[in-house]
Amino acid sequence: MYDIFGKYGAIGQIRLGTSRDYRGTGFVVYEDIYDARTAVDNLSGFNVANRYLMVLYYLQAKMSKKFDAEEEEEEIAKLQAKYGVSTKDK
């Protein structure tokens, strides 16, 4: 990972996802935002060991909205089960 991503700038840290939700995911933190932009532009779609990289910016606001939506869906499902309501056509 350092060899591939290090070509585009100084790396602060690299973390690999180990939990089930983040398996196969890595987080590369650059010291400079411009280096991160260059890496995203050049490495997205890059082939490594017969697998293609998907390089994106991590946006905290988007991720927290996604988890909020999932929690809301779970809450709705609980309420539907509690009151015997179904949204499916019969």
Side-chain angles (χ1 to χ4, degrees):
M1 297 269 298
Y2 280 100
D3 291 339
I4 295 168
F5 287 90
K7 294 176 184 177
Y8 299 99
I11 295 175
Q13 66 176 305
I14 292 180
R15 291 180 280 151
L16 298 178
T18 55
S19 71
R20 212 163 90 169
D21 293 337
Y22 293 103
R23 190 170 160 222
T25 304
F27 296 91
V28 178
V29 180
Y30 283 94
E31 293 181 7
D32 186 4
I33 187 69
Y34 298 107
D35 295 338
R37 180 188 300 170
T38 304
V40 168
D41 292 343
N42 289 298
L43 290 176
S44 201
F46 188 74
N47 189 336
V48 177
N50 292 327
R51 300 187 97 183
Y52 291 95
L53 296 178
M54 177 188 247
V55 183
L56 305 168
Y57 294 108
Y58 176 75
L59 302 172
Q60 178 64 36
K62 270 191 175 179
M63 292 303 291
S64 61
K65 284 182 186 178
K66 179 181 175 183
F67 288 119
D68 291 343
E70 289 174 357
E71 290 174 5
E72 187 174 322
E73 288 176 11
E74 289 175 8
E75 183 66 27
I76 290 171
K78 286 179 187 177
L79 290 171
Q80 287 175 336
K82 180 179 178 180
Y83 294 107
V85 177
S86 177
T87 57
K88 296 180 182 176
D89 295 328
K90 293 182 181 180

